[in-house]
Amino acid sequence: MAPDNCLNAVFAAALAAVDPLLVVPPFLPAPPRNGRTVVVGAGKAAARMAQAVEANWHGDLEGLVVTRYGHGADCRHIEVVEAGHPVPDEAGADAARRILESVGGLGPDDLVLCLISGGGSSLLSMPRPGVTLAEKRAINRALLLNGVPIAEMNCVRRHLSAIKGGRLAEACGPARIVTLVLSDVPGDDPAVVASGPTIPDASTSADALTILDRYGIDVPPSVRTALTAPSVRSLTAPNAANRVTVVATAQHALEAAAEKARELGLAPLILSNRIEGEARDVGAVHAAIARQVRDFGQPIAGPALLLSGGETTVSVRGKGRGGRNVEFLLALAVGLEGCPGIHALACDTDGIDGSEDNAGAILRPDTLTRAKALGLDAAEHLANNDAYSFFERLGDLIVTGPTRTNVNDFRAVLIQAEDFA
């Protein structure tokens, strides 16, 4: 099989393994005998998770989930609202308000089914008292531009929110809550995914301020006052009957890709499911490992497939277009220097790399040669955070459209033996 086809096949296998229609149904609770079932949720996979619930639910249900523009799906009983991501907007703020209202007044016989996936922090945007949506948008944008790791970013988001960090659970009162989570964060802590709207928060406002100060992010006086004021309330302990289950992770996707690789005659090696750091640095390290495999058969002999997941970051210093997966690939290309026999694919599993229209891109041994023929300098594009334009000119972007799942970055580096084609 041709290298491009191999890479596309393992990526397709990874996506199929974390499809909400597959992973949600086994974890659905039994419907309540006497009470109502209210479905709420947020994230890039929220609409497809809602579809999975409706297709497998035996009983009445109602509710509302919010997802990114273009990531919606048809549901009969659960309303799907689309809103802004990665920067919050009024549609998300209105959806958050309506979700809080929908769980008010529930009793102990009622069930709240909460569907959470990555992207929910931006989509479920309801500023805490003393903070405006405009201020929250500005801080969110600054966090993104400064390449702040997702766990720290979501700590700030929780403390600027009136619904995250367990506040949604508190609004549910005595109702039982079952939370199903598609994890897009390294380590798969459900309290970090979408900033944990149904999970009590162990961090403090002081922690959030420390993060903002560490990255030199300008904080308006009103926001600093809100974060230094005594908490308006302390979150209650979770109901003992509540349940939180992570139903899909990057590891699931990587294991499915590895199995597909074996079927194709490749030796897979999963490097890690939780790689973080600057995308360009991660690309350089992957290049070094790929060269070691090709030149010395270490730590695995070819034909081999290196696999990794997690969430890298991009500290934006240039004025180009790009996302973390294409920036990873461009750094990989620079590190490989046209090394023969190495191909790679890097995509975001949600189908959107950063804020562009592509999932990622593909890299071939002749990438730099073709780029040079077009007058493209890989190092200059990397310095300008302009990886999207680089791969667009080459015709090597991968455009899947919204996948309606989300376990974050997927990277596959194929190292060929001479007799593999």
Side-chain angles (χ1 to χ4, degrees):
M1 182 183 287
D4 284 12
N5 292 339
C6 285
L7 291 169
N8 286 321
V10 296
F11 183 46
L15 292 179
V18 293
D19 187 333
L21 295 183
L22 172 71
V23 300
V24 167
F27 299 98
L28 290 175
R33 291 183 179 180
N34 301 312
R36 298 163 54 199
T37 297
V38 178
V39 180
V40 296
K44 297 176 190 174
R48 195 158 175 89
M49 293 176 80
Q51 280 188 318
V53 173
E54 288 196 345
N56 294 274
W57 194 255
H58 304 289
D60 295 333
L61 78 168
E62 59 191 283
L64 183 155
V65 300
V66 56
T67 191
R68 191 183 197 266
Y69 291 118
H71 291 241
D74 292 333
C75 291
R76 300 185 308 277
H77 307 290
I78 303 168
E79 182 182 354
V80 176
V81 173
E82 297 184 356
H85 179 279
V87 179
D89 66 3
E90 291 288 352
D94 183 64
R97 177 187 57 77
R98 293 179 59 201
I99 284 173
L100 271 184
E101 291 175 352
S102 73
V103 301
L106 297 178
D109 293 330
D110 298 320
L111 170 68
V112 176
L113 182 56
C114 189
L115 309 175
I116 295 298
S117 60
S121 290
S122 296
L123 295 163
L124 201 62
S125 183
M126 186 176 185
R128 64 181 287 173
V131 179
T132 68
L133 181 59
E135 290 169 335
K136 191 170 183 180
R137 281 168 55 89
I139 291 173
N140 193 80
R141 188 178 291 108
L143 292 167
L144 292 167
L145 291 176
N146 280 273
V148 177
I150 188 63
E152 292 182 311
M153 187 179 299
N154 282 357
C155 175
V156 174
R157 287 165 163 171
R158 286 194 297 272
H159 290 284
L160 294 178
S161 174
I163 192 171
K164 304 184 188 81
R167 291 173 178 83
L168 175 58
E170 189 177 49
C172 294
R176 184 166 68 99
I177 307 168
V178 172
T179 303
L180 303 182
V181 180
L182 262 77
S183 173
D184 71 327
V185 300
D188 303 320
D189 182 354
V192 178
V193 183
S195 302
T198 60
I199 302 171
D201 183 17
S203 68
T204 67
S205 294
D207 295 329
L209 267 177
T210 297
I211 292 167
L212 291 166
D213 291 340
R214 180 185 307 136
Y215 291 94
I217 295 173
D218 183 46
V219 180
S222 56
V223 173
R224 189 169 291 276
T225 297
L227 290 176
T228 54
S231 177
V232 294
R233 58 183 178 181
S234 58
L235 300 185
T236 58
N239 186 330
N242 293 351
R243 173 163 60 89
V244 178
T245 305
V246 178
V247 301
T249 68
Q251 182 66 17
H252 294 130
L254 293 173
E255 289 178 356
E259 181 59 32
K260 186 64 178 179
R262 294 185 191 98
E263 293 176 11
L264 297 173
L266 300 168
L269 177 62
I270 297 175
L271 298 175
S272 176
N273 64 28
R274 55 189 300 169
I275 291 177
E276 298 181 86
E278 284 288 329
R280 63 182 60 199
D281 296 337
V282 174
V285 171
H286 278 62
I289 296 171
R291 282 177 174 268
Q292 189 75 10
V293 172
R294 182 185 180 279
D295 296 342
F296 300 101
Q298 299 169 337
I300 191 169
L305 187 73
L306 305 179
L307 295 164
S308 70
E311 182 169 5
T312 61
T313 53
V314 174
S315 296
V316 180
R317 299 294 180 260
K319 297 181 179 180
R321 301 172 64 191
R324 58 182 181 265
N325 286 286
V326 288
E327 180 140 331
F328 161 85
L329 278 178
L330 189 51
L332 181 68
V334 171
L336 291 174
E337 299 177 306
C339 186
I342 301 178
H343 301 71
L345 174 151
C347 290
D348 197 317
T349 53
D350 64 22
I352 304 296
D353 188 23
S355 59
E356 300 292 349
D357 58 358
N358 64 312
I362 199 158
L363 174 71
R364 304 181 181 92
D366 66 351
T367 291
L368 293 184
T369 301
R370 290 186 294 121
K372 187 176 180 180
L374 293 173
L376 302 175
D377 185 296
E380 287 183 5
H381 278 262
L382 186 60
N384 197 35
N385 300 118
D386 199 21
Y388 179 96
S389 301
F390 181 88
F391 287 104
E392 182 184 40
R393 287 282 306 277
L394 292 173
D396 290 340
L397 293 176
I398 294 176
V399 179
T400 62
T403 63
R404 295 174 177 82
T405 189
N406 186 14
V407 294
N408 231 308
D409 299 339
F410 176 86
R411 296 174 288 267
V413 182
L414 171 61
I415 303 100
Q416 295 177 264
E418 292 182 1
D419 59 351
F420 184 82

